[in-house]
Amino acid sequence: MSEQQIKITLAQLNPTVGDVTGNAAKARAARETAKADGADLVVLSELFIAGYPPEDLVLKPAFQSACRAAIEELARETRDGGPAMLIGTPWVEDGKLYNACALLDGGRIAALRFKANLPNYGVFDEKRLFARGPAPGPVTVRGVRIGVPICEDIWLEESEEYENVVECLAETGAEILVVPNGSPYARDKADLRLSIVVARVTESGLPLVYLNEVGGQDELIFDGASFALNADLSVAAQLPAFEENITTLTWRKTADGWRCNGPSTAQLEGDKADYAACVLGLRDYVRKNGFPGVLLGVSGGIDSALCAAIAVDALGADKVRGVMLPFRYTAQVSLDDAAKLAAALGIRYEILPIADAMNGFETILAPVFKGLERDITEENLQARARGTLLMAISNKTGAMVVTTGNKSEMSVGYATLYGDMNGGFNPIKDIYKTEVFRLSSLRNGWKPDGALGPSGEVIPVNIIIRPPTAELRENQTDQDSLPPYDVLDAILERLVEREEPLATIIEAGFDRDVVARVDRLLNIAEYKRRQAAPGVKVTRKNFGRDRRYPITNRFRDFGKALPAPDETLVARTSRASAEAFEG
């Protein structure tokens, strides 16, 4: 490093939870790239050596030891005089477990910094895993004082519970802030991240490097999209989203402090970002769990069509198998559209009629059902026969079943347990039906970089414009059982994402009876959602990670105006008098 510059390599990589050896190999390769670039420091993301989030795996002593051993080995390798390495790792010290960043340089662990502000909301649960670290000072790399706030350390304002870590670092002489992150993707989250970083840069007067991991981990998707801001809030660099990237930034010291002018990549937004997240989530779930490929029921409907397109984009056509499972209610147009979809995507496709299975079930059940009218039971049997056959093929071949229910269906329970809900992973679980239509139309004119599927129209237009139907009885459509999807999804977004009271939704112009019915369906379907396959999270509040409601739950919102709090009933006491009262 010359006196007035420092080169920092951002290693936006895709670690795998629990693969300590593989993650260390990725870190080692990134350092070799940084070394070839003449870098002084290579930075990896939060808890990189463990993979993020490790959840309760990080409490396992053997796992803690494996992570430490890998960090120590990487530290020894820095004796070669190459770049220092800043890498996230769990770390046990004085009997406490910390979310830490280790600075490796000169053949040793030159410094450790512990995360001070532990998130405990949404998908995060770090307070039950880690001890809170002390307010940190900067670390020194080649004579430059680097502040290392870890992820949430830049998100929270100072309070009785939280440290203002950035303020502390600025006051103790930091010159550049380097922030390792494990920040999951959610729709429009890039704007939120930028606003947080702008606030920290403004209050500290320091440039900031925001390094995020990339990749899928169960439901969570990490989109990368790492970036850096100069102290004057100009963009110093912007890395691509949804892909691994290693970029070396050259920072030069000017009269106004450190400054960088690096590459900037245009970012995906809106539906394009959601689609890319679904592709990455399915790809990593399949690959990281060792499945040789996937299969799915192709019905001629839009949900399975979109899932098939996502699967081919994620894995390639040779790793995707489509199965049409027709019965007497399956229309010829569904058979035709399913065949066209399979041909456009280039996937293996076969037709397995389920009439023999249905006849067998009905014969077995005839004595039990004697004297009872046909009803939804027979409709659900069709879904369960299909689910059984798909799982049999999965067992025989090792391919994972992709389940295809959208968020609208998951919300109101318009799905059959052990039937169309069968499967290992659902790429559209957090995508409402109206969004399924949009993403399908989008895919016919665009695909993300790195997608393995063909370009052009892959989802037949007739699938997109045809009224949705489960085809479980004659002339059935979804709207026989549900409100129009534009109305349903607008109500669900208010109930699920915003947690609005029914009275507020009704006041916004929605029909009272429709709102009450949707709310009821949402509540009684919780037991189904608990048994659903995991799926990609793209909204701020998905089922499972974010929205955790009890199955047994008698509370109901009846849509009445909410009473105002009666403050006259609340005793205003000091802590001392409260303690005296309790005594």
Side-chain angles (χ1 to χ4, degrees):
M1 185 198 76
S2 69
E3 185 178 350
Q4 296 297 311
Q5 80 172 28
I6 183 171
K7 287 188 174 184
I8 301 176
T9 297
L10 308 186
Q12 176 180 289
L13 300 178
N14 185 349
T16 298
V17 168
D19 186 8
V20 178
T21 300
N23 296 339
K26 277 181 170 284
R28 189 172 289 114
R31 185 171 180 268
E32 287 301 310
T33 298
K35 186 176 181 181
D37 287 347
D40 302 290
L41 173 67
V42 57
V43 184
L44 295 111
S45 53
E46 180 179 11
L47 290 177
F48 183 86
I49 204 69
Y52 188 83
E55 301 185 70
D56 283 11
L57 175 63
V58 79
L59 300 176
K60 195 176 183 67
F63 183 65
Q64 297 165 3
S65 296
C67 290
R68 177 159 184 158
I71 292 295
E72 290 174 346
E73 179 59 30
L74 289 170
R76 283 189 283 269
E77 292 171 12
T78 62
R79 292 184 184 132
D80 63 3
M85 176 182 289
L86 188 65
I87 184 169
T89 182
W91 194 264
V92 177
E93 190 162 297
D94 297 328
K96 294 181 179 180
L97 176 64
Y98 293 98
N99 180 336
C101 262
L103 178 66
L104 315 181
D105 196 19
R108 64 193 183 97
I109 300 171
L112 287 162
R113 290 294 177 265
F114 302 146
K115 191 172 182 177
N117 296 328
L118 302 174
N120 202 58
Y121 58 86
V123 304
F124 303 107
D125 198 16
E126 290 197 25
K127 286 186 178 179
R128 68 185 293 274
L129 300 175
F130 298 108
R132 180 179 176 182
V139 300
T140 301
V141 179
R142 310 298 188 265
V144 181
R145 294 172 68 80
I146 305 290
V148 189
I150 302 171
C151 199
E152 199 75 5
D153 286 342
I154 71 168
W155 283 69
L156 298 171
E157 304 289 348
E158 183 175 12
S159 67
E160 190 173 308
E161 185 178 2
Y162 298 111
E163 298 277 356
N164 190 324
V165 174
V166 170
E167 181 180 88
C168 178
L169 288 166
E171 290 175 350
T172 52
E175 299 173 67
I176 301 173
L177 300 173
V178 174
V179 188
N181 290 269
S183 179
Y185 171 78
R187 190 176 296 153
D188 301 324
K189 194 172 183 181
D191 292 340
L192 177 60
R193 289 179 189 143
L194 181 60
S195 68
I196 294 295
V197 170
V198 165
R200 301 294 87 82
V201 172
T202 299
E203 70 187 24
S204 67
L206 298 176
L208 188 149
V209 176
Y210 185 99
L211 176 74
N212 193 25
E213 77 167 86
V214 68
Q217 171 57 29
D218 296 343
E219 301 100 323
L220 299 183
I221 309 303
F222 297 89
D223 53 322
S226 305
F227 64 98
L229 291 188
N230 291 307
D232 63 3
L233 302 181
S234 61
V235 176
Q238 173 67 68
L239 274 58
F242 304 109
E243 62 183 68
E244 290 189 311
N245 183 276
I246 300 177
T247 294
T248 299
L249 303 179
T250 300
W251 292 83
R252 293 182 173 83
K253 193 167 188 180
T254 69
D256 297 321
W258 291 93
R259 187 173 184 84
C260 173
N261 183 21
S264 183
T265 303
Q267 299 297 290
L268 295 179
E269 297 178 346
D271 289 342
K272 289 183 177 180
D274 285 354
Y275 188 89
C278 292
V279 170
L280 178 57
L282 180 60
R283 175 184 293 149
D284 273 3
Y285 192 85
V286 170
R287 290 181 177 177
K288 289 181 178 181
N289 286 290
F291 293 105
V294 300
L295 72 144
L296 71 162
V298 177
S299 67
I302 194 166
D303 295 325
S304 62
L306 179 60
C307 287
I310 289 170
V312 172
D313 283 343
L315 306 168
D318 61 321
K319 297 289 195 299
V320 181
R321 182 175 187 171
V323 185
M324 162 58 89
L325 300 149
F327 190 45
R328 69 171 68 108
Y329 306 116
T330 304
Q332 184 62 45
V333 66
S334 297
L335 290 161
D336 294 343
D337 286 344
K340 290 175 184 176
L341 172 78
L345 290 171
I347 63 174
R348 177 175 176 177
Y349 175 70
E350 50 221 326
I351 301 174
L352 302 179
I354 66 168
D356 288 348
M358 286 300 300
N359 293 336
F361 281 133
E362 293 197 8
T363 298
I364 294 168
L365 290 167
V368 181
F369 288 177
K370 186 176 182 180
L372 301 176
E373 295 292 326
R374 295 180 70 87
D375 58 14
I376 197 173
T377 305
E378 284 76 14
E379 295 182 19
N380 286 340
L381 267 177
Q382 296 170 54
R384 291 182 173 128
R386 292 180 172 114
T388 297
L389 293 171
L390 290 174
M391 290 305 299
I393 298 170
S394 174
N395 288 164
K396 186 65 72 174
T397 65
M400 184 195 77
V401 176
V402 171
T403 184
T404 62
N406 59 69
K407 190 171 186 177
S408 305
E409 294 174 351
M410 290 295 100
S411 296
V412 298
Y414 193 64
T416 303
L417 277 175
Y418 325 119
D420 55 315
M421 290 178 66
N422 273 7
F425 194 77
N426 184 348
I428 63 168
K429 183 180 180 180
D430 204 24
I431 302 289
Y432 286 114
K433 186 75 168 192
T434 49
E435 296 164 348
V436 169
F437 284 105
R438 292 208 313 265
L439 293 186
S440 297
S441 296
L442 169 70
R443 177 57 182 86
N444 278 346
W446 167 90
K447 65 177 182 177
D449 291 342
L452 301 177
S455 299
E457 183 182 301
V458 293
I459 299 177
V461 173
N462 193 55
I463 289 179
I464 299 174
I465 64 175
R466 184 180 171 212
T469 172
E471 294 190 319
L472 299 175
R473 61 177 182 270
E474 291 288 354
N475 301 315
Q476 180 188 31
T477 68
D478 291 2
Q479 308 300 228
D480 297 340
S481 306
L482 300 172
Y485 278 117
D486 57 344
V487 175
L488 175 64
D489 290 354
I491 294 171
L492 288 172
E493 196 274 336
R494 289 170 177 267
L495 286 171
V496 176
E497 270 75 37
R498 303 190 211 175
E499 298 277 12
E500 287 186 3
L502 268 62
T504 302
I505 301 173
I506 294 164
E507 287 171 6
F510 293 92
D511 181 83
R512 175 182 290 274
D513 291 341
V514 173
V515 172
R517 179 166 169 256
V518 172
D519 182 63
R520 176 180 175 277
L521 292 172
L522 177 66
N523 284 313
I524 65 176
E526 185 63 37
Y527 79 100
K528 287 189 178 182
R529 291 189 289 271
R530 288 287 184 93
Q531 300 177 70
V536 175
K537 168 182 160 62
V538 301
T539 68
R540 293 287 177 86
K541 187 166 285 190
N542 76 329
F543 293 121
R545 282 277 189 171
D546 295 306
R547 189 181 188 277
R548 310 175 204 178
Y549 271 58
I551 296 173
T552 305
N553 170 21
R554 288 195 176 184
F555 177 79
R556 293 295 181 266
D557 178 353
F558 296 105
K560 298 178 180 178
L562 301 179
D566 187 348
E567 297 293 346
T568 65
L569 300 178
V570 181
R572 302 299 180 192
T573 60
S574 68
R575 182 182 296 272
S577 62
E579 289 173 351
F581 177 79
E582 289 167 1

